[in-house]
Amino acid sequence: MHRVYPFIVSLGLSLAPLAAHATAPAAPVAEVKAPTIQFKQVNARVGDQEEVDNAVDMRLALDLRASDMDKPMSVAMSVTSSSRHTVTVLAAKGKVISKVKMAFDDVGEVAEQQGKVQRKASPISRKTYLAEWKKDRVVITNAAGKPVPKEEADEVAKHLPELGKPDRMEAAFPKNPLAVGATLDGFSDTLAKQIVDEQGDDTRVTQARARLVEVRQDPRGAVGIFDVAMTVLRQETKAPFLLTIPLQGQMSVLAEGIQLLELTLSGPVKVELTDDAVEQGFEARGEGAMRLRLMGRRADAAR
């Protein structure tokens, strides 16, 4: 359920003078309409740049017990994954981008399990790549146009915009003005599908919702503020339990160009045993939390 976000608009309504006539009917009160915002797609331009910064934090404490175990198996872990990169448009036609340069800053993760800390840098950390849509596929090279190892190409592909085709997220926004209180159904479905595509077959997203709760004015233009909620279900390979993560948070989107400025989601991690594990006599207790943050900042090319 979405949390209630108060949004009050004053349109200068005035009260009828009480002392004028005791029997005078009250003046009609004008109906206050919900504020609206018009999202607008714009053509991509060579030289457009966007800085993208994201991080995911997850912690989990779990005790797993079976009838034939002397003591429960305890797992205590936390993982923080983060990445930052700049995307520069090198070729585009209309709203479709066909070639970009991707310059990565630090990319990696810090994991702690049973008190031991491990730091792992991604193979693409602090490197620059070119990605181009060629003959119905994405070709990734280094900054000089030379081939790169498959491990690096696969990792870069996870951060890629949708080359060679219209952006699904932008296309999900309505062509007509959106009023405060309205639900962004198309976007919710698209966001859920994108999360599943990125995480793999062992992840499902249900009950994805995005509702416009406020319209703010920014030096860059109108910004829509959305309450966002979804439930992520994740079944780790060969693990006897299922993770259920109900996430809630907010998203801000710049209307001009439909630019995602920030998306923050967080929620508890609930642990449930699979049916097979229950039949085998397993018992489990666990708790955890997850937080996701994605930020974008665009530096448009000079006209």
Side-chain angles (χ1 to χ4, degrees):
M1 179 178 293
H2 293 289
R3 64 183 180 85
V4 177
Y5 194 100
F7 188 82
I8 303 174
V9 179
S10 173
L11 298 179
L13 299 178
S14 59
L15 297 176
L18 297 179
H21 296 284
T23 59
V29 178
E31 180 182 358
V32 180
K33 294 184 178 180
T36 63
I37 184 171
Q38 176 67 70
F39 292 96
K40 179 184 177 183
Q41 285 186 284
V42 298
N43 291 337
R45 299 174 298 176
V46 172
D48 281 355
Q49 285 190 339
E50 183 175 14
E51 297 177 5
V52 181
D53 192 351
N54 64 69
V56 178
D57 299 301
M58 182 172 176
R59 63 174 178 81
L60 179 65
L62 173 67
D63 287 335
L64 188 65
R65 179 188 293 274
S67 57
D68 58 350
M69 296 172 62
D70 294 333
K71 60 180 180 178
M73 180 181 70
S74 298
V75 176
M77 52 133 345
S78 65
V79 179
T80 299
S81 302
S82 60
S83 70
R84 179 181 299 170
H85 65 274
T86 300
V87 182
T88 304
V89 177
L90 300 181
K93 184 177 181 181
K95 300 179 180 65
V96 178
I97 299 172
S98 57
K99 186 176 182 179
V100 296
K101 178 175 73 173
M102 303 189 71
F104 289 89
D105 199 339
D106 291 324
V107 181
E109 69 177 31
V110 178
E112 181 176 353
Q113 185 166 352
Q114 308 301 101
K116 295 182 179 180
V117 178
Q118 290 186 331
R119 290 176 172 81
K120 181 181 179 182
S122 168
I124 65 176
S125 189
R126 296 189 173 275
K127 295 181 181 180
T128 299
Y129 300 87
L130 303 178
E132 184 174 10
W133 180 261
K134 286 185 176 180
K135 298 179 180 179
D136 296 332
R137 70 186 185 95
V138 176
V139 177
I140 298 173
T141 65
N142 62 18
K146 303 296 183 181
V148 298
K150 184 178 184 301
E151 179 187 18
E152 293 184 32
D154 290 345
E155 191 67 22
V156 172
K158 295 179 182 179
H159 299 267
L160 276 173
E162 296 180 283
L163 294 182
K165 51 189 175 181
D167 188 283
R168 288 180 297 173
M169 304 292 275
E170 289 187 5
F173 279 77
K175 301 296 188 292
N176 298 322
L178 193 69
V180 166
T183 301
L184 199 58
D185 296 324
F187 176 86
S188 303
D189 295 339
T190 303
L191 180 60
K193 187 177 187 305
Q194 181 166 309
I195 290 176
V196 171
D197 288 346
E198 291 179 353
Q199 297 297 322
D201 295 337
D202 53 1
T203 300
R204 290 190 297 121
V205 177
T206 64
Q207 302 176 354
R209 303 182 301 279
R211 185 184 302 276
L212 181 65
V213 294
E214 184 180 357
V215 177
R216 296 177 185 169
Q217 293 303 318
D218 184 273
R220 295 162 292 184
V223 175
I225 309 299
F226 295 84
D227 272 353
V228 181
M230 66 182 65
T231 298
V232 178
L233 306 175
R234 185 169 180 84
Q235 172 67 61
E236 300 291 340
T237 304
K238 297 182 180 179
F241 53 83
L242 171 71
L243 301 181
T244 301
I245 313 170
L247 297 173
Q248 292 190 0
Q250 282 200 330
M251 172 180 70
S252 58
V253 182
L254 182 65
E256 183 71 14
I258 312 182
Q259 182 195 354
L260 177 64
L261 301 178
E262 184 173 9
L263 171 64
T264 302
L265 294 169
S266 62
V269 177
K270 301 178 181 179
V271 180
E272 299 178 271
L273 290 172
T274 63
D275 292 340
D276 289 342
V278 173
E279 291 179 1
Q280 294 174 27
F282 280 97
E283 297 179 359
R285 291 188 306 172
E287 63 175 5
M290 180 178 181
R291 183 175 185 270
L292 177 151
R293 186 180 186 189
L294 172 63
M295 299 182 66
R297 186 171 68 86
R298 182 171 296 170
D300 292 331
R303 294 184 182 274

